[in-house]
Amino acid sequence: MAERRIIVIGAGPAGVRAAEALVAGGVRPLVIDEGRRDGGQIYRRQPEGFKRGYAALYGTEAARAEAVHQAFDRLRPAIDYEPETLVWNISEGAVWTSCAGEARAVPYDALIVCSGATDRLVPIKGWNRAGCYSLGGAQIALKAQACAIGHRVTFLGTGPLLYLVAHQYAKAGANIAAVLDTSPLGGRLAAAAKLAAQPDLLWTGVKLIFDLWRRGIPVLTGVTPTEIHGDEDGGVSGISVATRGETIRQFDCDAVGMGWHLRPETQIADLARCRFAFDAPTRQWLPETDDDGRASAEHIYLAGDGARILGARCAEVTGELAALAALADLGISDKADRRRELHAQKSRYRRFANGLAQAFPWPHELAARALDETIVCRCESVTAAALRASIVDAGATETNRAKAFSRVGMGRCQGRYCGNAAAEIIAAARGETLIEAGRLRGQAPVKPIGIGTARNDK
């Protein structure tokens, strides 16, 4: 057992619980994390020297955040831990990492990928202005830097994270101009039975919204964003939306936090040659796994939001499941009874997640009909018109050909923030389904590494 090398990528809730199960099974795992401290995005630890309490940082999830942090602290003597280390490729049974200007290949017997998620964004005219942030970016500013993204902030998008971040900002004393939700209120009522699978989470969401109302913050649902306005310096000066009655309302602000749910970080799974399938409810391609987290590629296991967006609580469940599956497949231990318990928990979380997808849908029509002058790919400044031209004029037949012709998805983010919307625009331009439009294939390195990075084989 001591010679078995199991690598866990990510030290969020899924990665922590995976490492915990591996240690309990007699294995000393290697945990590689891009962050400086454990916790992932949802339970991101504040920098050393910051003294804010758990209740102030994590609200209703304070107890869970503290439990995950304490679990990782207990694990430290029993694991090999490499923070601030980027996994940029998977090749020939090895994980390629980059840290402090050095790259190395680390072979594995089993690989558990807990890569987390990033914001899912819709291109709005003006969203490339200085002062526009993803909801996750706005949250990082508050948690890790103890500051707001602006003096007067508007939050735009849909889903639980929209209200959570807005509430966190309000609680911290920030000036919030409005919370603008593209989803109609009726969708939440239709999804109520599924959302009731996690009644405490449902009630928490209701309380967040009521608290925003109580503070006098305008909360609008069913809106259609039209433009993020700018000032002479290129920053944000306001935002306009059309309400359900087609009335245009404008809110003055100097920053916009935006996001429409999350999208799994699937690039590592893609490089590991995992098979993907189209998920109709969320309109995106996701890696295939069995109920334990086994991917189609041999000795690859996927857990947490990097596999499917089921929330931080379920990430702990799927992290443990993936570790138990790896231990069983390597002939180290097999805890079938525990896996059955975890499967039951996962089923309830999956039902709740399906309810969220129904209640707060991805506004695919908004993405598909983006104005021609709207920047779709902010990294490469590719407009919706240029993307449509790659289809109509250049004859691209799917997303990767459109990428070659227009450079959409070729920038630093590798399509993380433009890929979903670009696929919607391409499908609409070709008059075909999103499945036929395909998906952007992952490329190494998944994030930029320094040109002077040297290989270290020690």
Side-chain angles (χ1 to χ4, degrees), residues 52 79 85 102 135 286 316 321 336 344 355 374 384 397 401 441:
R52 290 169 292 175
I79 66 173
T85 301
E102 290 188 346
L135 291 176
L286 301 176
E316 296 185 52
L321 270 172
T374 300
T397 56
R401 290 300 290 166
R441 292 186 291 270

Side-chain angles (χ1 to χ4, degrees), residues 34 41 44 115-124 127-128 132-140 161 257-267 284 362-363 367-368 370 374-382 387 403 407-425 440 446-448:
E34 192 175 346
Q41 166 63 4
R44 177 182 292 271
S115 50
T118 52
D119 295 273
R120 198 176 187 191
L121 300 175
V122 174
I124 307 298
W127 77 308
N128 53 309
C132 291
Y133 295 76
S134 69
L135 291 176
Q139 199 175 47
I140 289 172
L161 188 60
M258 53 197 300
W260 284 261
H261 288 294
L262 301 170
R263 52 161 297 281
E265 280 279 283
T266 58
Q267 287 84 355
Q284 58 187 330
W362 159 252
T374 300
I375 296 289
V376 177
C377 173
R378 299 199 298 183
C379 296
E380 295 293 315
S381 298
V382 179
L387 187 54
K403 175 182 178 179
R407 295 191 61 81
V408 68
M410 282 192 182
R412 289 178 62 86
C413 85
Q414 294 281 296
R416 286 173 174 83
Y417 297 114
C418 66
N420 288 150
E424 298 285 0
I425 293 171
L440 292 176
V446 297
K447 291 183 180 179

Side-chain angles (χ1 to χ4, degrees), residues 135 153-156 159-181 188 204-221:
L135 291 176
V153 184
T154 295
F155 291 100
L156 168 69
L161 188 60
L162 173 70
Y163 295 100
L164 174 61
V165 177
H167 180 265
Q168 289 173 335
Y169 265 64
K171 189 175 179 181
N175 185 3
I176 300 177
V179 177
L180 308 174
D181 191 336
R188 293 166 224 193
T204 295
V206 171
K207 288 192 295 183
L208 291 179
I209 296 172
F210 272 108
D211 187 68
L212 292 171
W213 284 339
R214 182 184 62 81
R215 294 173 183 269
I217 297 171
V219 178
L220 280 64
T221 60

Side-chain angles (χ1 to χ4, degrees), residues 239-293:
I239 182 172
S240 294
V241 297
T243 65
R244 283 168 291 179
E246 299 302 319
T247 301
I248 300 296
R249 294 191 59 179
Q250 182 168 334
F251 297 89
D252 294 332
C253 58
D254 64 352
V256 177
M258 53 197 300
W260 284 261
H261 288 294
L262 301 170
R263 52 161 297 281
E265 280 279 283
T266 58
Q267 287 84 355
I268 293 175
D270 204 358
L271 294 175
R273 304 295 186 266
C274 296
R275 188 167 56 245
F276 281 61
F278 185 72
D279 183 64
T282 61
R283 297 179 67 85
Q284 58 187 330
W285 293 85
L286 301 176
E288 294 182 353
T289 64
D290 67 8
D291 281 344
D292 289 311

Side-chain angles (χ1 to χ4, degrees), residues 39-91:
Q41 166 63 4
I42 188 66
Y43 298 146
R44 177 182 292 271
R45 288 199 181 194
Q46 59 188 329
E48 295 89 343
F50 281 42
K51 302 299 183 183
R52 290 169 292 175
Y54 274 89
L57 273 177
Y58 308 105
T60 58
E61 297 301 289
R64 289 182 176 272
E66 188 171 16
V68 169
H69 294 165
Q70 290 177 348
F72 190 79
D73 289 341
R74 290 192 298 268
L75 286 171
R76 291 290 292 271
I79 66 173
D80 296 316
Y81 175 44
E82 296 184 5
E84 298 185 281
T85 301
L86 171 68
V87 173
W88 58 272
N89 194 16
I90 307 293
S91 178

